[in-house]
Structure formats: structure tokens, C-alpha cells
Amino acid sequence: MTSTLPLPSATPAAAPVGRLRVVTAGVAVAATLPYLTLKTLWLTGHPVGAGDTMDDLWLANLLTFGMDAIAVLLALAFVRPWGRRAAAGLLVFPMWVATGLLGTILVAVPLSMLGTLLFGPEKSTGNAAGGVCDWVFTVVYGGFAVQGLALITGFLLYARQRWAGLLRDRIGDLPDSPTLTVQRSLAGVSALLAAAVAAARCYWALGGDAGLPAEWREHRGRSLDVMDGVAAVMAPAAVTALLVLVFRVRPERRPRVPLMVVWTAAARDTAWNTTTLRPSRTADVESAP
């Protein structure tokens, strides 16, 4: 027998906010300060830690400044009364994008550190060519890692309180939507595409360069290999979890884990692939912050 999932409804404004949520919000906000400070300096004509390439990246710096400012608003929304009254979409969509961007860094940064421990540091590029200094990457991505951990934890605590009854049903109790056949068809197509993406990314992560433009091959490094490896895992993970949901695999289980996997992996694929739609991947290497 099926049941209908309840619509998300806000917890009363008087509901208490736990200390852990307050701490995670504070940590998330504090972790944005180094990045916002650097962006403010670059936007005002002070390329600290960078060369004159910042003059050509003014719009990109403005956009990324705005994205991190939104992260501050999200962190505050998880602990302030107005955040509990806000429309779900105003919080869920930017948090989904943030999960894709910051969650990937949470995985990639430890793997990069492990690679440095095992194989030594990569050759320093400095800022001789007008690029970004190595210490900027350390500050920025270290802050992103802390910010991602705090923001995602804060959101989970917020969602558990605001939408406490949303995930109580079993997978087999999910409603039989009129579009279920379409969902299953799209999931099948996605599985084929994900397999192709995973194979290509795994090949590149292991050092292959077939199919890459010459410019990309010249600028490849361990960091890009790590990102390709993460993508090789995320793409099939998203589709596998989606197939579990739409085909009601193991109907006695709760949908929390597959939903979290779809949320995180699909966000990663969407957010990173959207932000790297540029004419040259060299820009990603030199101006990733």
C-alpha cells in the first residue's frame, strides 16, 4: 500500500536551535572570511597573491564573491527565525549547488594531500606568469573544506528539524507517480551516459590523455587527476542511487541514503560541469579560486 509523502512544512518559529547548529553556522561564516577578503582586494584593484590576470577576471571574481556571500546567508538562515520561515526553494536550491561545489572539495582536498605525502609536492608555478600564488590555493581551498563541512552539517541539522517527517516512509512506500515510467526511462538513459563519463574520467585520472586538446595536456597536474577521479566515482553513484529510488530496489529500506547520494553526486556533476564551461581548461588551472 502506498502513501503520499507530506509536503515540507516549517517547524514553528519557537523551536529551539541546538548548540551544534549555532557552532556550525559560526564556523561556516568564519571560513568564508579569507576568501571574501581576497575577492574584495582583487575587485578593488589590489591583486594580493596574484598577478595582473585579476584585471581580466573581474566579472568572475564578482560572481564568486556573490556565491560565497550567499553561503553566509545560508549559514545564518539555518539558525535564525527568518530562516525557518523562508520558502523551501530559496534555501534548497543554493544549498544543492553549494553541496556540489564544496562537497567535491571536501573529497578532493584530502586526496590531494595524500598524494603530496606519497609522491611529494607538485612543481610550484608561483606567479611568474601572472597566475595565482601557491599560498592562495592553500588558504582558499582550506577555507572551502572547512566551510563545506560546517555548511553541510548545519543544513542536515536544519532539515532534520524543519522536515522531520519527510523521510519516514520506506522506499516501497514512495507514491506511484504518473510520470514513473518516464522517470525510469530517463534513469536508464542517465545510466548509459554516466558509464561513458565514468570510463573517460577514470582513464584521464590514471594519466591517459587521448581526447584531450593539446593545451589541456600541457597543463595537467595531480589536482586535475584527482578531480577526474572524483568525477569518475560521482557520476555512476548518482545514477545508481536514482535507479534504487525509481525502481524501488530493496523496498523495505528507508530512502535517506540513496536520496543523499543522488543529492550530493548529481549536485557535483551539475555544479562543477556548469562552472567549467569555458573555452579553455587552462583558465581552471590558473584561476581556480
Side-chain angles (χ1 to χ4, degrees), residues 2-5 169 171-178 180 183 248:
T2 62
S3 62
T4 302
L5 286 174
D169 285 351
I171 292 178
D173 294 328
L174 295 174
D176 291 327
S177 169
L180 185 59
Q183 293 175 28
R248 308 297 192 258

Side-chain angles (χ1 to χ4, degrees), residues 222-235:
R222 191 183 302 141
S223 59
L224 286 181
D225 293 338
V226 169
M227 294 300 290
D228 281 329
V230 172
V233 174
M234 288 290 191

Side-chain angles (χ1 to χ4, degrees), residues 199-221 224-225 228 281:
R201 292 284 198 155
C202 186
Y203 168 72
W204 292 330
L206 295 175
D209 58 12
L212 293 176
E215 185 181 14
W216 291 15
R217 292 196 295 268
E218 293 174 2
H219 291 86
R220 282 198 66 84
L224 286 181
D225 293 338
D228 281 329
R281 193 166 180 175

Side-chain angles (χ1 to χ4, degrees), residues 170-174 180 183-184 187-188 191 236-262:
R170 309 287 178 175
I171 292 178
D173 294 328
L174 295 174
L180 185 59
Q183 293 175 28
R184 289 174 172 174
V239 172
T240 300
L242 180 61
L243 292 172
V244 168
L245 293 173
V246 298
F247 285 97
R248 308 297 192 258
V249 179
R250 302 192 68 178
E252 75 282 359
R253 301 294 297 272
R254 296 188 185 277
R256 295 175 183 174
V257 173
L259 278 176
M260 289 177 62
V261 173
V262 169

Side-chain angles (χ1 to χ4, degrees), residues 41-288:
L41 290 171
W42 294 347
L43 287 169
T44 55
H46 302 84
V48 176
D52 52 10
T53 55
M54 291 299 109
D55 294 336
D56 301 324
L57 296 172
W58 192 88
L59 180 58
N61 285 329
L62 182 62
L63 291 174
T64 49
F65 178 93
M67 291 171 65
D68 223 36
I70 291 174
V72 173
L73 294 177
L74 283 173
L76 295 176
F78 298 155
V79 294
R80 301 303 301 164
W82 56 264
R84 281 170 273 174
R85 297 190 299 267
L90 293 178
L91 299 178
V92 170
F93 178 73
M95 189 60 217
W96 181 67
V97 175
T99 302
L101 293 172
L102 298 175
T104 301
I105 293 173
L106 275 174
V107 176
V109 167
L111 291 176
S112 295
M113 293 175 63
L114 179 61
T116 300
L117 290 174
L118 294 177
F119 307 110
E122 293 188 87
K123 183 179 179 180
S124 177
T125 57
N127 64 347
V132 179
C133 293
D134 291 341
W135 68 263
V136 174
F137 284 86
T138 302
V139 170
V140 167
Y141 285 99
F144 280 164
V146 175
Q147 179 186 340
L149 183 61
L151 201 61
I152 292 172
T153 301
F155 176 67
L156 290 175
L157 296 172
Y158 170 89
R160 187 176 66 178
Q161 184 182 69
R162 179 168 179 175
W163 302 304
L166 186 61
L167 302 177
R168 289 177 180 170
D169 285 351
R170 309 287 178 175
I171 292 178
D173 294 328
L174 295 174
D176 291 327
S177 169
T179 64
L180 185 59
T181 300
V182 177
Q183 293 175 28
R184 289 174 172 174
S185 299
L186 292 176
V189 173
S190 299
L192 296 176
L193 294 175
V197 169
R201 292 284 198 155
C202 186
Y203 168 72
W204 292 330
L206 295 175
D209 58 12
L212 293 176
E215 185 181 14
W216 291 15
R217 292 196 295 268
E218 293 174 2
H219 291 86
R220 282 198 66 84
R222 191 183 302 141
S223 59
L224 286 181
D225 293 338
V226 169
M227 294 300 290
D228 281 329
V230 172
V233 174
M234 288 290 191
V239 172
T240 300
L242 180 61
L243 292 172
V244 168
L245 293 173
V246 298
F247 285 97
R248 308 297 192 258
V249 179
R250 302 192 68 178
E252 75 282 359
R253 301 294 297 272
R254 296 188 185 277
R256 295 175 183 174
V257 173
L259 278 176
M260 289 177 62
V261 173
V262 169
W263 169 280
T264 304
R268 184 269 160 213
D269 290 341
T270 302
W272 278 93
N273 291 334
T274 300
T275 57
T276 55
L277 285 176
R278 304 177 186 175
S280 171
R281 193 166 180 175
T282 304
D284 296 333
V285 180
E286 294 182 349
S287 60

